[in-house]
Amino acid sequence: MKYLIVDTSSRTLLLSASNGKGDVSLSLKDLDRHGAILAVVIKQFLDLLEISPADLDFLGAGVGPGSLTGLRVGLSTIKGISLPYNIPVVPFNSFDPLAEGICFDDFVICRKGREGHFYWRTYLKKRPGETLFSSIVEIKEKLDKSIVVCSERNEELVDFQDYRTFLLEPSPVLMRKIVLEAFRSGKILSGLDLEPVYLQKSVAEINWDGRNSRKT
Amino acid sequence: MKYLIVDTSSRTLLLSASNGKGDVSLSLKDLDRHGAILAVVIKQFLDLLEISPADLDFLGAGVGPGSLTGLRVGLSTIKGISLPYNIPVVPFNSFDPLAEGICFDDFVICRKGREGHFYWRTYLKKRPGETLFSSIVEIKEKLDKSIVVCSERNEELVDFQDYRTFLLEPSPVLMRKIVLEAFRSGKILSGLDLEPVYLQKSVAEINWDGRNSRKT
């Protein structure tokens, strides 16, 4: 099975690819240049695997929630590879590979959005709940103190010091595991239908709405 | 801290590197071309990190046991980067990053050598014993049935079906953890003094010995 899987929703770019015999797992943390790096890295790894985009059986794409710019870069790139060859895409919630590495029963995964706000999702008995975007205050109103709060970044856990906290390491191997399971159970779509989970408006959109509402 | 760490002792090439702000973790499994790939990949990642070999504070090198050719390629490359700039090297036993990911108290790590033989090392209460090279028969004579036998490859665990077995996934993140700890406790040497843990003779050496003993 030949595949390429990418998640660009956080500050860690994850990539996993295989030519059906060997495979590649890559994590690039805090390089802050997903836009400049992603296409270059994909080309380098397809070359190492001695395959071209046309050979791929499927693509995988983390659809968020997370960085708006990161998701635009990642999903545009995956669409750009998928469309010319009509390669099916396995979309996945970007929190699910993180959840896969957690050994607690009940936990919540948080990821910083705009100032004072987080994306978050509870996993009770490991089953994912709804993916939400809320202020820290709103989240704490809803979260029982018995739950473990997980995040990829220590500075995000500081906001949850009254909870048990757990630092996560994003893993391309767990990402691949999630996507291979989803592919085997037929959870594929066309590159045309690939959509991000944005949940929050960008600052540009908020400013636009503000200007428009003043005009009317 | 800027560093580059490499292990080429198995069929999975592991690489970890940092420019002091961001970092890279890479695993290339079963590509079978360490010799052709290693220098290329190192160059690509130093470029992604926007550093050059001269900037590195230290190097890390897995010294085996494992593939003789893999170790020659890996250690020659690390020496080649170390010597011109006198960059210190942190050597590590290639089994130690594997052991780091194991949750059992008492286990042994095995890695196939030449036909019918394994490299192996016991870890009792997680503390490493001597690294050895023995036939399967010799190993089984010494191993208590209560111990868990661990290996990176399912086909190697088949030889230990009368034991509890556990499949390992080599991880560049655990490799980095081991090496950073060793660096902080001052376990460094000059590139000149870097030596592989071979433990077994290559087939070429065995043939040479055979020819020489016949002549005398």
Side-chain angles (χ1 to χ4, degrees):
Chain A
M1 196 80 81
K2 301 180 184 67
Y3 57 80
L4 166 70
I5 308 165
V6 164
D7 191 327
T8 56
S9 64
S10 79
R11 294 168 60 91
T12 304
L13 188 161
L14 298 178
L15 182 149
S16 169
S18 175
N19 60 11
K21 293 172 76 181
D23 61 64
V24 175
S25 306
L26 172 72
S27 112
L28 295 171
K29 189 173 175 185
D30 289 335
L31 295 196
D32 291 341
R33 297 181 291 126
H34 291 359
I37 284 174
L38 181 63
V40 174
V41 171
I42 288 175
K43 174 73 169 72
Q44 287 171 346
F45 282 108
L46 295 182
D47 287 350
L48 276 179
L49 293 165
E50 302 183 317
I51 54 174
S52 73
D55 300 326
L56 293 166
D57 295 305
F58 68 95
L59 294 154
V63 295
S67 156
L68 304 185
T69 305
L71 288 171
R72 281 164 193 154
V73 168
L75 299 189
S76 306
T77 305
I78 291 295
K79 279 173 187 266
I81 299 171
S82 163
L83 297 181
Y85 309 105
N86 207 17
I87 304 169
V89 181
V90 178
F92 61 95
N93 187 297
S94 300
F95 282 177
D96 285 351
L98 294 168
E100 191 67 19
I102 299 178
C103 48
F104 309 110
D105 271 349
D106 300 333
F107 56 91
V108 59
I109 298 182
C110 291
R111 175 177 280 174
K112 197 119 185 177
R114 67 167 177 271
E115 189 56 35
H117 290 67
F118 281 85
Y119 304 97
W120 61 298
R121 193 180 203 190
T122 52
Y123 290 77
L124 300 179
K125 307 281 166 223
K126 295 228 156 202
R127 296 187 59 176
E130 203 182 343
T131 311
L132 299 164
F133 181 74
S134 319
S135 73
I136 300 173
V137 177
E138 289 168 332
I139 297 173
K140 290 193 173 181
E141 279 170 9
K142 290 184 187 160
L143 281 190
D144 194 276
K145 283 283 183 300
S146 67
I147 207 160
V148 182
V149 177
C150 307
S151 156
E152 304 115 290
R153 303 190 78 83
N154 259 323
E155 62 265 34
E156 297 183 357
L157 291 174
V158 168
D159 283 319
F160 295 95
Q161 276 176 338
D162 32 353
Y163 291 82
R164 271 204 301 158
T165 58
F166 185 77
L167 189 65
L168 297 168
E169 175 87 34
S171 154
V173 174
L174 295 178
M175 176 181 76
R176 176 177 58 206
K177 180 167 180 260
I178 293 284
V179 172
L180 287 177
E181 282 167 9
F183 178 74
R184 286 185 191 118
S185 51
K187 291 176 183 156
I188 57 171
L189 42 76
S190 151
L192 279 173
D193 300 322
L194 186 62
E195 283 190 358
V197 173
Y198 277 150
L199 295 181
Q200 72 163 324
K201 288 185 175 181
S202 69
V203 173
E205 287 168 304
I206 293 170
N207 290 345
W208 173 268
D209 287 349
R211 279 197 301 275
N212 268 28
S213 65
R214 280 200 300 275
K215 277 181 201 161
T216 53
Chain B
M1 196 80 81
K2 301 179 185 68
Y3 57 80
L4 167 70
I5 308 165
V6 164
D7 191 326
T8 56
S9 64
S10 78
R11 294 169 59 91
T12 303
L13 188 161
L14 298 178
L15 182 148
S16 169
S18 176
N19 60 10
K21 292 173 76 181
D23 62 64
V24 175
S25 305
L26 172 71
S27 117
L28 295 171
K29 189 173 177 186
D30 289 335
L31 295 196
D32 291 339
R33 298 181 291 126
H34 290 0
I37 285 173
L38 182 63
V40 174
V41 171
I42 288 175
K43 174 74 168 72
Q44 287 171 347
F45 282 107
L46 294 182
D47 287 350
L48 275 179
L49 293 166
E50 301 182 319
I51 54 175
S52 73
D55 300 325
L56 293 167
D57 295 304
F58 68 94
L59 294 154
V63 295
S67 155
L68 304 185
T69 305
L71 288 170
R72 282 164 193 155
V73 168
L75 299 190
S76 306
T77 305
I78 291 295
K79 278 173 187 268
I81 298 171
S82 164
L83 296 180
Y85 310 104
N86 207 17
I87 304 169
V89 181
V90 177
F92 61 94
N93 187 297
S94 300
F95 283 176
D96 286 350
L98 294 168
E100 191 67 19
I102 298 178
C103 47
F104 308 110
D105 271 347
D106 302 332
F107 55 91
V108 59
I109 298 182
C110 291
R111 175 177 280 175
K112 197 119 187 176
R114 66 167 178 271
E115 188 57 34
H117 291 67
F118 280 85
Y119 304 98
W120 61 297
R121 193 181 204 190
T122 52
Y123 291 79
L124 300 180
K125 307 281 168 223
K126 294 227 156 202
R127 295 188 58 175
E130 202 183 343
T131 311
L132 300 165
F133 181 74
S134 319
S135 72
I136 299 173
V137 176
E138 289 167 332
I139 297 173
K140 289 193 173 181
E141 279 170 9
K142 291 183 186 158
L143 281 191
D144 194 277
K145 283 283 183 298
S146 67
I147 208 160
V148 181
V149 177
C150 307
S151 156
E152 304 115 289
R153 304 189 76 83
N154 260 322
E155 61 266 34
E156 297 183 358
L157 291 175
V158 169
D159 284 318
F160 295 95
Q161 276 176 338
D162 31 354
Y163 291 82
R164 271 204 302 158
T165 59
F166 185 76
L167 190 65
L168 297 167
E169 176 86 32
S171 154
V173 174
L174 296 178
M175 176 181 76
R176 176 176 60 206
K177 180 167 181 260
I178 293 285
V179 172
L180 287 177
E181 283 166 8
F183 178 74
R184 287 186 191 118
S185 51
K187 291 177 183 155
I188 58 171
L189 43 75
S190 151
L192 279 173
D193 300 322
L194 186 62
E195 283 190 359
V197 173
Y198 276 151
L199 296 181
Q200 73 162 325
K201 289 185 174 180
S202 69
V203 172
E205 287 168 305
I206 292 170
N207 290 345
W208 173 268
D209 288 348
R211 277 198 302 274
N212 268 28
S213 65
R214 278 201 301 276
K215 276 182 202 160
T216 54

